[in-house]
Amino acid sequence: MFSFDTVIRNGTVVSGEGVCNADIGVRGSTIEAIGRALPQGAREIDATGNLVLPGGVDTHAHIEQISAAGLRTADDYASATTAAAFGGTTTVLSFAAQHRGLDLQQVVTDYHAAATRGAVIDYGFHLLIADPNERTLAQLPSLVASGCSTVKIFLTYERLILDDERVLEVMAAARALNAMVCVHAENQGMISWTSKRLIAKGKTQPKYHAVAHSREAEIEAINRIIALAKMTGVALMVYHVSTAEGAAAIGEARRQGLNVHGETCPQYLFLVTDDLDLPGNEGAKLCFSPPPRTVDDQVALWRALELGDLEIISSDHAPSAFDETGKLSAGPNPTFKQIPSGVPGIETRMPLLFDKMVSKGHLGVEAFVHLTATQPARLYGLANRKGVLQAGADADIVVWDKDREVALTASLMHDKTGYTPYEGRRIVGWPETVLIRGTSIIEQGELRVRPGFGQFLRRAV
Ligand SMILES: [Zn+2]
């Protein structure tokens, strides 16, 4: 009899206690022990010279989601979570997306069916509410109790936007349940006003998407949503912060003692506005909302992450193929207004950040683990179970080859968009072996489990 089912031996382990050379002993689906010279396991993984980190927790991804305009994301649960797994992510939170007129409970049931069928990593849902009528709000207590403990709302997009009064209604309902409200904060009127003027002047190419979604539109909406959260006392998560001022407003709210949190995404840390200025319609690939900003904003976002003003780096994976099913659904030369928003990023999130934070040394490996795994798990009701290497936690473990150099390219990716915004970038460090609940799901460059292996996560409030 072996003491452990698996021992990951001799790696550099980042646990809740810091960085150390240690072995990890796994029994069943959980971590049993972390220490030196653990007894033999039934299976041994040699991690000498490698980093052993918790699996990534990506708390913002759009998967098998139908947009309000009727377009389905390029990825289903199988392809998106396979891409996530290859990129070192073992937990994903995606959306059960209500459109106006739909029954929220039925929406959640439908997304459960899709994810149960396809997911290869563990998953949970945010409740995306577009129609906060009486029936919807009456369903919230049971849905939150069933483990979908966060609500997402929009301050923009014609078919999704909630006015301030509706926002307050959702916030009050969420507050009563101790559920966090997540928000896409951009000012609809400012975007719509600017867009109309640009289009009237014939400025329709993809690069004008970034002009239409001005930084002021984000800054106004973040300040307003913080005020509404303060009024209701609800816990707030501001999604995909792109501007220095937006991050500063969140930092200020936190210093006032408000229960306000913020995330940013790799596309705001590694891309800038000028990246949209590509020949022909190519810039459509980089139309996402809010758009990337300036190098100064990148510096400010990194600083905000360092200070704890921003606490999470998620992917906001929103896969839209560069063809008539997605980016070019309005024809080969769409105006920026007709291009569905979103970029793929579920697979590149962890490797890009590993390269910057660990290989290049910016903030270091503990901050990398904190921002990509531990803190997302904590803030979304998965503390001590996901995003951490410690006894009793799920054995979601990634062995990183810290020396492997990779040129990012579309053919390497497992999502279905057919492109990556980071084409040609050379990075150092790659997730080599990925375990979920003690089972190897990625080994030697291959997926070792079938769609449906992933389990639904009932999250605490
Ligand atoms: Zn999103």
Side-chain angles (χ1 to χ4, degrees):
M1 272 293 281
F2 293 103
S3 305
F4 300 110
D5 295 319
T6 303
V7 174
I8 301 173
R9 206 169 284 285
N10 282 326
T12 303
V13 175
V14 179
S15 71
E17 322 256 279
V19 186
C20 59
N21 268 322
D23 308 331
I24 299 182
V26 175
R27 193 181 296 146
S29 62
T30 55
I31 295 173
E32 188 84 4
I34 300 179
R36 284 179 198 249
L38 292 183
Q40 180 83 17
R43 177 184 175 223
E44 295 266 323
I45 296 175
D46 180 14
T48 307
N50 290 333
L51 278 162
V52 181
L53 309 181
V57 177
D58 190 347
T59 52
H60 183 170
H62 303 269
I63 303 175
E64 211 162 327
Q65 190 178 322
I66 301 168
S67 78
L71 292 174
R72 191 184 286 273
T73 54
D75 280 316
D76 56 18
Y77 273 90
S79 61
T81 58
T82 296
F86 274 100
T89 289
T90 51
T91 294
V92 68
L93 300 185
S94 51
F95 298 92
Q98 181 195 37
H99 301 145
R100 289 191 187 141
L102 294 185
D103 180 80
L104 183 61
Q105 176 62 62
Q106 186 59 47
V107 168
V108 173
T109 302
D110 293 345
Y111 278 89
H112 267 296
T116 303
R117 198 166 48 231
V120 304
I121 68 171
D122 290 354
Y123 59 90
F125 302 119
H126 307 289
L127 305 167
L128 194 169
I129 295 183
D131 201 353
N133 57 31
E134 253 174 58
R135 190 175 56 165
T136 298
L137 296 180
Q139 290 174 342
L140 272 187
S142 67
L143 287 170
V144 168
S146 78
C148 302
S149 59
T150 39
V151 169
K152 158 127 191 236
I153 56 170
F154 284 86
L155 298 186
T156 187
Y157 297 127
E158 258 165 59
R159 296 186 180 89
L160 297 168
I161 185 171
L162 304 187
D163 63 23
D164 293 349
E165 198 173 340
R166 303 271 121 43
V167 170
L168 289 168
E169 273 162 14
V170 172
M171 283 181 160
R175 173 72 186 86
L177 301 166
N178 282 324
M180 184 158 70
V181 170
C182 310
V183 64
H184 179 130
E186 288 188 286
N187 177 303
Q188 168 74 5
M190 290 160 89
I191 294 167
S192 167
W193 185 86
T194 317
S195 299
K196 280 177 190 153
R197 271 152 188 79
L198 286 166
I199 286 169
K201 288 183 179 153
K203 296 180 189 297
T204 60
Q205 298 105 290
K207 66 178 177 180
Y208 291 106
H209 168 79
V211 182
H213 289 249
S214 68
R215 57 191 305 120
E216 287 73 21
E218 170 174 290
I219 297 160
E220 186 284 325
I222 289 179
N223 279 291
R224 176 161 41 103
I225 199 70
I226 289 171
L228 298 175
K230 186 174 182 179
M231 196 173 153
T232 52
V234 78
L236 177 71
M237 169 63 68
V238 182
Y239 272 167
H240 45 52
V241 176
S242 69
T243 58
E245 296 92 328
I250 292 162
E252 183 51 37
R254 292 175 59 72
R255 279 181 285 281
Q256 281 177 33
L258 300 181
N259 197 351
V260 169
H261 308 274
E263 66 159 32
T264 190
C265 314
Q267 49 270 39
Y268 306 108
L269 298 168
F270 297 110
L271 300 173
V272 292
T273 305
D274 284 351
D275 289 325
L276 273 75
D277 193 1
L278 295 174
N281 57 12
E282 285 276 309
K285 293 175 180 172
L286 287 151
C287 284
F288 53 88
S289 305
R293 309 291 182 183
T294 67
V295 171
D296 285 348
D297 287 299
Q298 291 182 345
V299 171
L301 293 174
W302 278 115
R303 182 86 183 126
L305 290 164
E306 186 177 0
L307 290 170
D309 289 356
L310 299 178
E311 297 167 85
I312 290 181
I313 309 174
S314 72
S315 71
D316 193 7
H317 181 69
S320 188
F322 191 61
D323 61 25
E324 69 287 347
T325 68
K327 293 287 187 185
L328 307 179
S329 54
N333 285 298
T335 69
F336 68 84
K337 258 322 226 192
Q338 297 169 313
I339 299 166
S341 257
V343 275
I346 203 165
E347 189 165 359
T348 48
R349 179 185 73 121
M350 299 285 284
L352 276 168
L353 292 164
F354 185 97
D355 174 65
K356 169 83 175 178
M357 301 182 74
V358 184
S359 304
K360 295 195 171 80
H362 186 73
L363 305 187
V365 70
E366 286 177 274
F368 168 75
V369 167
H370 180 80
L371 291 165
T372 61
T374 314
Q375 191 65 355
R378 268 190 206 147
L379 284 176
Y380 285 101
L382 296 167
N384 299 321
R385 177 172 176 198
K386 299 295 192 186
V388 67
L389 299 180
Q390 65 186 29
D394 282 1
D396 296 357
I397 304 169
V398 180
V399 180
W400 285 80
D401 179 345
K402 64 181 169 51
D403 301 316
R404 184 157 151 206
E405 201 179 323
V406 174
L408 295 177
T409 185
S411 63
L412 213 65
M413 300 291 128
H414 296 83
D415 66 73
K416 287 187 176 165
T417 61
Y419 62 90
T420 166
Y422 310 103
E423 184 67 38
R425 263 178 219 238
R426 301 193 78 82
I427 59 169
V428 176
W430 197 256
E432 190 181 78
T433 303
V434 180
L435 280 74
I436 295 188
R437 288 176 272 106
T439 298
S440 269
I441 65 161
I442 302 287
E443 222 181 289
Q444 292 167 335
E446 276 178 34
L447 181 70
R448 301 293 170 118
V449 294
R450 303 202 143 274
F453 175 79
Q455 289 184 358
F456 173 66
L457 298 166
R458 283 176 75 117
R459 293 178 294 119
V461 289

